[in-house]
Amino acid sequence: MKIIVVGHGMVGHKFLESLEACGMAKAQVTVLCEEPRPAYDRVHLSSFFTGKSAEDLTVVEPGFFERTGFSLRLAARAAQIERRHKTVTTVDGEVLSYDKLVLATGSNPFVPPVPGRDRAHCLVYRTIEDLEAMKAAGAKSQRGVVVGGGLLGLECAKALYDMGLETHVVEFAPRLMAVQVDEGGGRVLRHKIEALGLQVHTQRNTVEIVDGATARHRMVFADGSHLETDMIVFSAGIRPRDELARQSLLALGARGGIAIDSACRTSDPDIYAIGECAAWNDQTFGLVAPGYEMARVAAKHLAGDASASFAGADMSTKLKLMGVDVASIGDAHGKTPQSRSYQYVDEVKQIYKKIVVSADGQQLLGAVLVGNADEYGTLLQMALNGITLPAEPEFLILPSSDGKAKPGLGVAALPDSAQICSCNNVSKGQICAAVGEGNTTIAQLKACTKAGATCGGCVPLLTQVMKHEMARRGMAVNNHLCEHFAYSRQELFHLIRVGQIKNFDALLAQHGQGLGCDICKPAAASILASVWNEFVLKKELASLQDSNDYFLGNIQKDGSYSVVPRMPGGEVTPDGLIAVGTVAKKYGLYTKVTGGARVDMFGARLEQLPLIWEELIAAGFESGHAYGKSLRTVKSCVGSTWCRYGVADSVGLAVQLENRYKGLRAPHKIKFGVSGCTRECAEAQGKDIGVIATERGWNLYVCGNGGMKPRHAELLASDLDQDQLIRLIDRVLMFYVRTADRLQRTSTWRENLEGGLDYLKGVVVQDTLGIAAELEAQMAHVVATYQCEWKTAVTDPETRKRFRSFVNSDQPDEHIVFVEERGQIRPARPEERTPA
C-alpha cells in the first residue's frame, strides 16, 4: 500500500507511530513536510524562549525513520491533489501516486484583516521560524503586544515576557480566555496576569496599525484610543488549513475544515484528514489530544480495523499560564438547561473555583479553576466517567480546614477504562499493567506508557494511580533505603538533622536495625557530610565511605588512583600548570585535560597519594573532589574579560561559585557551567546548575545533565543580579540535597517531582514552603565549615597510615604495571605483563 501523508506536525507524526504500532511498517509511506525540520512539540513552544532548541523540542525518536523505512521529505509542500488519478503534486512539480492519502496539514494563525498588519515586526506565533523572527525582532524592541488573549495568546505573551519586553495583551472579548473561563474566572485570571507585570487591554478592536510617535507602531482602536509598540504578534486563534481540500472539491465543514466521518475519512474514501485541519460533525479541535486520537483511529482503519471510531473529544484543559493555574472542564459556562453551579472565591489569594452540576445534583457537568487547580484530576474523572457526586458537592472545591481529604473520588473508584492521559490515550488499566511489570516510578511510567510525557497535566493523577496499584498488588509503596532502615533517604536526612545525629552507630541504634550494608552506609555518610560537613575520614565516619571517598581519589581499573586538583572555573596560572606538570613528571603519571576544564593525573599508587597531595598543596592547589558525590567542576568560557561577545565576567563568577560550593556532599555528583553570553560556550544548559549572562543579568538553569540520558536544563529564573543568583543556587542545591533519593541526579530528581518545574519554582523562588531562609542557613554552614580533605589527610598521622598497599609492608603493589603509549603511561593489558 502506498500512503502519502501531507504534513508532519505532532499529529502527523503520531499517525506514523500508530501505523507502526498497527503492524503497517511495511507500507510504502511518504511524508511531505512543509517545514525544514521534522515534527516538534508545539504544546511547549514557548520553552524555545527559555533556552530550548529546535532539536530539544523534536518529538521524533532517534532512528524512527531508519527503523520503519518511512520516507520523510523536508521542505516539501504539497500543491495539488488529483483525486481521479490519485496523485499529489509538490510545489517543485514532482508527482507522487498514492493508494491512501492522509491530510495532516494543521492550521494557520488567524491574522485580523487590519490595515498595516503586514508591516515589519508584525509577526505570528506558530512555527520555529516564527519564533526565530520574534527573537530577532525582540532584540530590537523594548515593548511588545500580543493580539489575542486566548490560550495561544497568553502563551505568546509569556514568550515576550521571557524575552524581557514590556508586554501587553490586546483582546477583542471582554475577558481573557473567553472560551475556557467564565466572567468570574476571567476577572481573577486578569488580576493575576497583571500582577506579574503584563498589561491587559480587553474589549479592544484594532482598526489600523500606523507609524508610532514614540515606538515603531501605533495600534489604533475602534474606541479612539491607541497603543504604541515596537513589535506585534498576532495570536488570535487558528483557522484550519483546508486549501488542498477546497482545490480538490472535498466536502468541508460548515465553518471550514475538511469534513470527516467517524473513521476520519473525507468525502473521498481514499483520503483521510486528522488534527486541526479536520472537521468532525462540523467541529474542529485545537488541542493535541483529539488530533492524536484521530491519528490512532485513521491508522487502525488503514490497518483493517473497521471498528476504529472517532467519537469526538473532551476539550477539558489544564495549563499553567505564566505560573497561574487555569483549568476548564466540560460545560464550564453552565449552558446545560437547568444546570446549577457552586462557586468559591478567595480575593486575597486570588483563587476562583466553580463547578456546574446537573439539575438533580448527581452529575458533574463542568468546572472552572483559576489560581489553584489541585482538584482538576478528581473533577475531570468525575465528569468523564459519570461518577455520582457526593451529597454536598460544594466541598469538592472548598478548602479543607482540618487537613482531611475531601469527600468524593479516590482512584480506586475509577474504572480501568478511565482515561488518565488524554494526550496519549493511556487508561488506568494500562498504567496498572505497567506497574505490575515493575515500572514503579513516574519516569519509568512516562517511558513505557507515554502517560504524562506530552503536556504533563495528568502527572498528579498518574502518581495516585501508580501508588494505589502498588499497594493493591502488595508492593511496598515506599522509598525505604534498604532492609536496615524503614525510611527514605529524605526521611533519614531529616532524622539526622533534627535529632543532631553525628555518626552511623547512633543512627542505627535510634532508627534502624541490624549492622548496615553497602547501600545505607555510604548514603548515611553522604547525609552526615551534607548536614555536619565533618572530615569524611574521621575515625567513626571512615568505614562508611565507598572506596573512592575512603582514599580521596578515583580508583582505576588497574588498582591505581587518579588525582584531580581543583582549578576553579578552569582558571590556572602558568606556575600552577608548571607545578602540575612537575608532579606528574616526577611520579610518572598520565595527564589528560578533562571535560570539566581541569587536569587529571592517572596512575598514582596508593602510597604515593599523600606525597603527591603535599606537593600540589604546596603549589596552592586543593582537592578537586573528583572522587565524591559532590561538586565536581564549574566550567566556564572566558566571558567579557577576553571574548568580544561576552557580556559578563563568566570566569570570575565561575571561580566564586566553585569556591563557594566546593566540598558540598550530595546524593550524586554535581556539575556547573557559566557562559558569558548566549552563545553558550560553557554548555551551561547541559549541567546540574547552568548560568548564562545576558544584557540584563544572569539567567539560572537547573537540572540538566549529559551522560547516557542527556537532559536539557530548564530556566528557573531570569535577569538576576549576582546576590539573587547565589541565593537561588543555595536554595536549589540544599533542597535537592534534602529531598533527592540515594544516587539520584538532579535531572532524575526533577523528573520525579510531582509538581514539576512549577513546584520547584514555588519552593525555591516564591518560598511557598517557607523554608528558603532555612535552606540558605544550611548552605552557609557548609560554606563556613569547608576544609580541603587532602590537606586534613596528610596532616593527620592516623589518617595518613591508611595510605599503604599492605598493612605489614611499605612495598608498592607489584600488580600495578604500566606500558608506554603516545609518550605517556597506560595500564598494561594481561598479555603485556611479564610472566612471574
Side-chain angles (χ1 to χ4, degrees):
M1 183 186 295
K2 288 183 180 180
I3 301 173
I4 293 179
V5 181
V6 179
H8 189 234
M10 295 177 73
V11 172
H13 190 68
K14 177 60 69 175
F15 172 76
L16 300 179
E17 292 179 333
S18 302
L19 270 187
E20 183 188 23
C22 291
M24 293 284 286
K26 292 184 179 179
Q28 185 179 329
V29 180
T30 301
V31 186
L32 301 179
C33 177
E34 184 174 291
E35 295 190 52
R37 58 181 57 82
Y40 51 87
D41 185 355
R42 293 191 199 274
V43 174
H44 298 104
L45 206 56
S46 63
S47 63
F48 183 81
F49 294 95
T50 59
K52 296 278 187 179
S53 66
E55 291 71 26
D56 295 324
L57 290 168
T58 184
V59 297
V60 181
E61 176 191 353
F64 175 82
F65 287 99
E66 292 79 3
R67 182 180 73 243
T68 59
F70 298 164
S71 173
L72 173 64
R73 301 192 181 189
L74 299 176
R77 183 166 67 87
Q80 185 176 18
I81 299 170
E82 176 49 70
R83 290 165 51 197
R84 288 173 300 176
H85 300 109
K86 300 180 80 169
T87 61
V88 176
T89 304
T90 70
V91 289
D92 295 328
E94 184 178 8
V95 179
L96 304 171
S97 63
Y98 66 85
D99 297 313
K100 301 291 182 182
L101 174 63
V102 179
L103 300 177
T105 49
S107 61
N108 275 327
F110 170 65
V111 178
V114 177
R117 65 186 182 279
D118 53 355
R119 292 165 56 92
H121 295 88
C122 288
L123 310 165
V124 294
Y125 180 73
R126 187 64 177 165
T127 68
I128 294 289
E129 284 68 36
D130 294 334
L131 304 192
E132 289 172 341
M134 286 173 61
K135 268 193 169 183
K140 303 173 184 177
S141 303
Q142 294 183 335
R143 179 185 295 174
V145 169
V146 175
V147 177
L151 286 172
L152 285 175
L154 292 180
E155 278 290 328
C156 181
K158 179 183 185 302
L160 295 186
Y161 181 79
D162 288 339
M163 290 164 62
L165 302 184
E166 178 189 316
T167 304
H168 297 250
V169 178
V170 172
E171 167 58 41
F172 178 75
R175 63 179 180 274
L176 298 174
M177 289 185 65
V179 174
Q180 288 81 17
V181 303
D182 61 2
E183 183 179 348
R187 186 166 52 249
V188 172
L189 176 60
R190 175 173 184 156
H191 186 278
K192 294 184 79 72
I193 293 292
E194 289 182 331
L196 293 170
L198 277 75
Q199 298 184 45
V200 177
H201 311 266
T202 52
Q203 294 182 290
R204 291 291 192 276
N205 180 20
T206 308
V207 293
E208 66 174 339
I209 303 169
V210 297
D211 288 339
T214 61
R216 189 173 290 120
H217 308 296
R218 171 176 288 192
M219 301 175 68
V220 181
F221 302 126
D223 63 2
S225 63
H226 66 267
L227 175 63
E228 299 210 345
T229 180
D230 297 308
M231 65 181 290
I232 300 171
V233 184
F234 294 101
S235 189
I238 56 175
R239 296 293 183 268
R241 291 194 59 181
D242 54 15
E243 60 269 23
L244 285 173
R246 292 178 185 275
Q247 167 264 317
S248 57
L249 300 180
L250 290 172
L252 302 176
R255 294 184 296 276
I258 309 165
I260 60 170
D261 62 14
S262 61
C264 297
R265 291 173 303 193
T266 68
S267 54
D268 183 327
D270 291 323
I271 301 178
Y272 294 72
I274 56 177
E276 293 174 342
C277 69
W280 176 82
N281 283 358
D282 287 334
Q283 181 182 6
T284 56
F285 301 88
L287 299 177
V288 70
Y292 277 6
E293 179 61 16
M294 290 181 192
R296 286 186 283 264
V297 168
K300 288 178 181 178
H301 205 266
L302 281 170
D305 182 358
S307 66
S309 177
F310 180 75
D314 174 60
M315 296 298 285
S316 302
T317 184
K318 172 180 176 286
L319 64 158
K320 192 175 283 284
L321 294 164
M322 305 184 70
V324 180
D325 280 329
V326 182
S328 174
I329 296 171
D331 182 12
H333 296 283
K335 294 180 179 179
T336 304
Q338 297 184 319
S339 62
R340 298 180 293 164
S341 67
Y342 299 84
Q343 298 180 28
Y344 167 74
V345 181
D346 184 335
E347 293 188 351
V348 176
K349 296 181 179 178
Q350 285 296 301
I351 294 173
Y352 174 86
K353 299 181 180 183
K354 182 182 81 170
I355 55 173
V356 179
V357 303
S358 58
D360 60 6
Q362 297 293 301
Q363 302 295 315
L364 181 70
L365 303 177
V368 177
L369 307 169
V370 179
N372 180 291
D374 291 347
E375 298 87 358
Y376 176 76
T378 295
L379 297 175
L380 178 63
Q381 294 303 322
M382 281 188 154
L384 292 179
N385 294 284
I387 296 172
T388 302
L389 290 170
E392 298 175 312
E394 64 270 24
F395 284 99
L396 290 169
I397 56 173
L398 290 176
S400 176
S401 59
D402 56 6
K404 295 180 181 179
K406 295 181 181 181
L409 175 67
V411 293
L414 294 177
D416 282 348
S417 59
Q419 188 184 64
I420 303 301
C421 175
S422 59
C423 290
N424 294 299
N425 192 30
V426 185
S427 68
K428 175 188 172 185
Q430 289 172 294
I431 293 167
C432 292
V435 170
E437 293 168 1
N439 300 285
T440 54
T441 69
I442 294 300
Q444 289 172 334
L445 287 175
K446 283 182 178 181
C448 71
T449 69
K450 298 290 184 71
T454 300
C455 77
C458 64
V459 170
L461 186 59
L462 174 65
T463 303
Q464 294 176 40
V465 173
M466 177 188 74
K467 290 182 176 180
H468 176 268
E469 182 62 14
M470 290 173 67
R472 192 187 71 79
R473 290 175 178 268
M475 302 166 75
V477 187
N478 57 55
N479 294 326
H480 292 181
L481 196 62
C482 66
E483 61 187 282
H484 303 107
F485 290 97
Y487 300 98
S488 67
R489 182 196 169 278
Q490 179 180 352
E491 291 166 334
L492 276 184
F493 183 98
H494 289 287
L495 289 171
I496 287 171
R497 179 170 165 270
V498 174
Q500 300 284 300
I501 297 171
K502 299 292 182 74
N503 61 67
F504 185 73
D505 289 341
L507 179 65
L508 200 61
Q510 293 181 44
H511 302 292
Q513 61 181 1
L515 300 175
C517 62
D518 59 358
I519 292 176
C520 59
K521 285 182 177 179
S526 174
I527 295 171
L528 290 166
S530 298
V531 175
W532 310 121
N533 208 26
E534 296 182 331
F535 182 44
V536 295
L537 297 186
K538 189 177 176 181
K539 185 176 180 180
E540 59 267 35
L541 299 176
S543 62
L544 305 177
Q545 312 300 332
D546 62 22
S547 56
N548 285 349
D549 282 299
Y550 190 81
F551 294 111
L552 307 182
N554 280 334
I555 189 169
Q556 303 301 316
K557 60 189 289 186
D558 64 340
S560 66
Y561 291 82
S562 67
V563 178
V564 187
R566 186 169 298 285
M567 296 179 179
E571 186 177 73
V572 59
T573 66
D575 284 341
L577 283 175
I578 291 169
V580 169
T582 300
V583 169
K585 192 170 184 179
K586 178 177 178 179
Y587 293 95
L589 307 179
Y590 168 88
T591 57
K592 185 182 186 302
V593 177
T594 72
R598 54 188 184 179
V599 178
D600 203 341
M601 294 175 278
F602 293 81
R605 296 193 307 272
L606 184 60
E607 76 278 1
Q608 293 176 319
L609 289 176
L611 302 174
I612 293 170
W613 295 340
E614 282 179 323
E615 295 196 32
L616 290 172
I617 291 167
F621 290 103
E622 296 179 320
S623 164
H625 285 92
Y627 48 82
K629 298 295 186 285
S630 55
L631 175 67
R632 294 293 178 86
T633 62
V634 180
K635 186 176 181 179
S636 76
C637 62
V638 297
S640 59
T641 307
W642 293 94
C643 179
R644 65 185 186 277
Y645 299 115
V647 296
D649 179 12
S650 56
V651 179
L653 179 61
V655 170
Q656 181 180 353
L657 293 177
E658 188 157 347
N659 283 328
R660 179 172 182 80
Y661 301 113
K662 61 187 178 184
L664 171 68
R665 299 285 169 148
H668 211 292
K669 62 185 177 184
I670 303 169
K671 297 181 179 181
F672 282 36
V674 182
S675 288
C677 75
T678 55
R679 285 171 175 78
E680 251 285 69
C681 293
E683 301 166 333
Q685 292 172 84
K687 301 292 190 290
D688 299 277
I689 298 291
V691 182
I692 301 176
T694 72
E695 298 286 355
R696 295 180 294 275
W698 300 100
N699 287 356
L700 174 59
Y701 295 80
V702 297
C703 302
N705 71 261
M708 290 179 63
K709 296 179 70 175
R711 186 184 192 279
H712 205 286
E714 297 172 296
L715 183 68
L716 186 78
S718 305
D719 306 336
L720 305 169
D721 62 35
Q722 205 146 297
D723 289 341
Q724 292 172 324
L725 174 72
I726 290 173
R727 194 157 54 244
L728 290 184
I729 295 175
D730 282 357
R731 296 177 186 178
V732 170
L733 289 178
M734 197 50 73
F735 189 56
Y736 162 63
V737 168
R738 275 191 178 195
T739 60
D741 289 336
R742 166 182 168 269
L743 301 180
Q744 190 174 52
R745 291 293 300 267
T746 60
S747 56
T748 310
W749 169 69
R750 156 64 188 87
E751 285 290 344
N752 283 281
L753 281 179
E754 192 167 312
L757 182 65
D758 292 321
Y759 171 72
L760 182 60
K761 283 183 177 180
V763 173
V764 173
V765 182
Q766 293 136 21
D767 194 20
T768 54
L769 299 183
I771 61 172
E774 199 176 300
L775 297 174
E776 292 173 29
Q778 279 184 263
M779 184 61 75
H781 170 75
V782 172
V783 173
T785 55
Y786 167 78
Q787 59 185 301
C788 173
E789 292 170 351
W790 286 351
K791 186 174 183 179
T792 305
V794 299
T795 54
D796 177 45
E798 288 302 311
T799 301
R800 190 158 183 160
K801 286 179 182 178
R802 74 177 75 251
F803 292 94
R804 55 198 301 182
S805 297
F806 307 101
V807 295
N808 58 352
S809 171
D810 291 328
Q811 293 299 308
D813 186 350
E814 62 183 19
H815 295 96
I816 297 177
V817 180
F818 303 108
V819 297
E820 186 174 314
E821 183 174 273
R822 295 191 297 277
Q824 297 203 80
I825 63 166
R826 66 162 171 80
R829 303 184 184 99
E831 66 272 14
E832 295 172 326
R833 296 174 181 269
T834 304

